Amino acid sequence: MNEASPLATVHGQPTWQVVRAEILRRIRARYWEPGALIPGEMVLAKKFGCARATVNRALRDLAEEGLVERRRKAGTRVALHPVRKATLEIPVTRIEVEKRGASYRHAVIERETAKPPELVASKLGSGVKKLLHLRSLHFADDHPFIYEDRWVNQVAVPDVMKESFEHVSTNEWLVRNAPFTHGDITFGAENTTEAEAQLLEAHEGDAILVIQRITWSEKMPITFVRLAHAPGHRLRTTI
Amino acid sequence: MNEASPLATVHGQPTWQVVRAEILRRIRARYWEPGALIPGEMVLAKKFGCARATVNRALRDLAEEGLVERRRKAGTRVALHPVRKATLEIPVTRIEVEKRGASYRHAVIERETAKPPELVASKLGSGVKKLLHLRSLHFADDHPFIYEDRWVNQVAVPDVMKESFEHVSTNEWLVRNAPFTHGDITFGAENTTEAEAQLLEAHEGDAILVIQRITWSEKMPITFVRLAHAPGHRLRTTI
DNA sequence: AAGTGGTCTAGACCACGTC
DNA sequence: ACGTGGTCTAGACCACTTT
């Protein structure tokens, strides 16, 4: 096991990635054990024969992935409990359907201005009164794909009242017209109610994946949406 | 709307984040519309009164988030379909339970060396023959939390045969003794079978969140695991 | 008080992809 | 061929913490 080889002889790859890979190798080989202190950036830079900024880039990347923990003055340590992070892409429904090679279509089932149920109101904040309620279905190749139940804050997005959403899905329209700054998402499994089952062409009680999302623009809540996916729907990702 | 203010008068925040915020503001304000070409790094650097590397850092960050698309020679464009990415943290089960303020305990239900079902075998690759099969339950405050069904490749992790997993969960042991390089994850909803329902103290047919994970060390498959969560379990994250 | 990472700069060279 | 982003460097100053 080589100790201090000045930059491994790898080509094509940027130096910081080579450094990153070498540090990763040492961590995995237990050369630096979990919880152990890794040499400082200047030391590593000299060892690898590169600039400190390059080592910094490598370590910063590893820190973002949760494999090392960095603190000023305290130094860099190998993470005790490397929390792996899986990133799920949240595309617009139309794109998601088309990516599966299916044709997309959507239909608005109900559209009303109404008082939200307590559950929705509490999540959006008590100050939100005027809400547009939209229920719609997204289809993939004419099969129900997602049943969407959405509440939109009219104060945050006044233009929403002018749009029928017959040609553009609410989802896509909002991305264009009311970009959000941040949001909360929860993933869960639920048994379909009779009504949902009918809409999704499923059987009552079928297990479905339900995603709830609330988005804000700064401090102003924009929308709450509950997406009930057809049975069998799966989310995939890699780590 | 100020046009070319050399660095906004924001304090405490690193310059690259100020630049990033300003670019983000212009995108959201439609100053640069979706699909539009953003000025080059050198131009922006001069406009903001900072070094090109600083602008680069800001734009690189935005690119990673999917808000802009960058290509050499072609330049930087505002993304047409900003794919938001939600990052889910995948902690060791024990940590996840303890983070909820509950006490953790686990129990091995079954342990055998067996031929995997076709479904598992196909996912791990046909070359994998010797597998350890482990079924176990994870408890939170003595209530079933996750039912785990796991297959471990004995060739990749020979030491696995020496461990009883009565004191350390397989999950945690593998993190220590067989770190993986990458993996696939799928999230789905399923109705519990009668057997599962009994283990999870649920009713047959209850909707549960099921996570399947396959991990590799380079090209060697390490383990396949199916995690059946107790009814009502939710994953949360922010975007 | 001192050491470590965080950031910034000015300049340079290079790789890629468009032209 | 040429322009843009990608990377690298050497040096500097600063912020945060631990000692």
Side-chain angles (χ1 to χ4, degrees), chain A residues 4 13 42 47 58 66 68 72-73 99 135 137 160 162 164 182 192 198 202-203 208 213 216 221 224 236-237:
Chain A
Q13 213 171 176
M42 283 186 302
K47 242 206 281 229
V68 301
R72 285 163 150 123
K73 169 69 179 176
K99 203 179 288 177
R135 298 194 303 123
L137 268 175
V160 78
K162 302 176 194 160
S164 71
H182 64 286
T192 52
Q198 199 160 14
H203 301 290
I208 57 168
R213 200 162 59 205
W216 290 269
F224 164 85
R236 293 166 212 282
T237 187

Side-chain angles (χ1 to χ4, degrees), chain B residues 11 13 15 31 39 69 96 103 111 120 136 162 167 171 196 218 225 227 230:
Chain B
H11 333 282
Q13 212 171 175
T15 312
Y31 179 80
E69 289 168 4
E96 187 175 355
S103 68
R111 180 203 170 97
V120 174
S136 44
K162 302 176 195 161
H167 298 292
N171 192 343
E196 275 176 350
E218 304 302 340
V225 63
L227 301 170

Side-chain angles (χ1 to χ4, degrees), chain B residues 73-98:
Chain B
K73 169 68 179 178
T76 303
R77 289 180 180 282
V78 180
L80 243 13
H81 298 291
V83 179
R84 302 298 290 239
K85 284 156 189 154
T87 63
L88 286 175
E89 299 194 344
I90 314 284
V92 167
T93 307
R94 176 175 66 79
I95 303 288
E96 187 175 355
V97 169
E98 289 171 353

Side-chain angles (χ1 to χ4, degrees), chain B residues 14-17 50-54 57 71-74:
Chain B
T15 312
W16 72 268
Q17 286 179 27
C50 66
R52 180 168 83 96
T54 306
R57 174 95 189 254
R71 269 175 0 222
R72 286 163 147 122
K73 169 68 179 178

Side-chain angles (χ1 to χ4, degrees), chain A residues 42-58:
Chain A
M42 283 186 302
V43 177
L44 289 176
K46 182 161 286 187
K47 242 206 281 229
F48 290 125
C50 66
R52 180 169 84 93
T54 306
V55 174
N56 180 282
R57 173 95 189 253

